[in-house]
Amino acid sequence: MARRKPSIEVEITEGAIRVRHAGRMLTVVASAPPPGADAAPDFLISLDDIERWDAPHEDVEIDVEKLQLILTAIEDECDRHGLTVEFD
């Protein structure tokens, strides 16, 4: 029997997005949209903020493959709530 990879859970809170995966947590704080932006997204997330997991796993880097899974999970959760997200 093939083993399933642990799923990525995303929770949207006021001003932040929490990602849980394999016993680790990542808190991503959304940035303010640029001044004068006409169609600003609900969440603007800097990819530079998604490099390492939260404590106590801050020594574990998030690799490119995991980053792609996290971004997809965040986009899917935002879609479910009718929210928009942009990654910078």
Side-chain angles (χ1 to χ4, degrees), residues 1-70:
M1 180 184 289
R3 213 171 158 178
R4 258 183 55 184
K5 289 184 180 179
S7 65
I8 295 178
E9 297 176 27
V10 177
E11 175 187 6
I12 298 174
T13 66
E14 200 169 311
I17 296 174
R18 289 204 176 87
V19 179
R20 289 182 185 85
H21 178 68
R24 297 179 181 137
M25 180 161 326
L26 170 69
T27 304
V28 181
V29 179
S31 302
D38 291 335
D42 295 302
F43 292 99
L44 179 60
I45 298 173
S46 172
L47 295 178
D48 291 339
D49 293 339
I50 308 176
E51 293 181 348
R52 298 180 179 276
W53 296 97
D54 292 351
H57 305 284
E58 66 271 13
D59 293 338
V60 180
E61 287 188 32
I62 298 172
D63 63 26
V64 174
E65 181 181 331
K66 190 67 66 192
L67 177 62
Q68 288 296 325
L69 294 173
I70 290 170

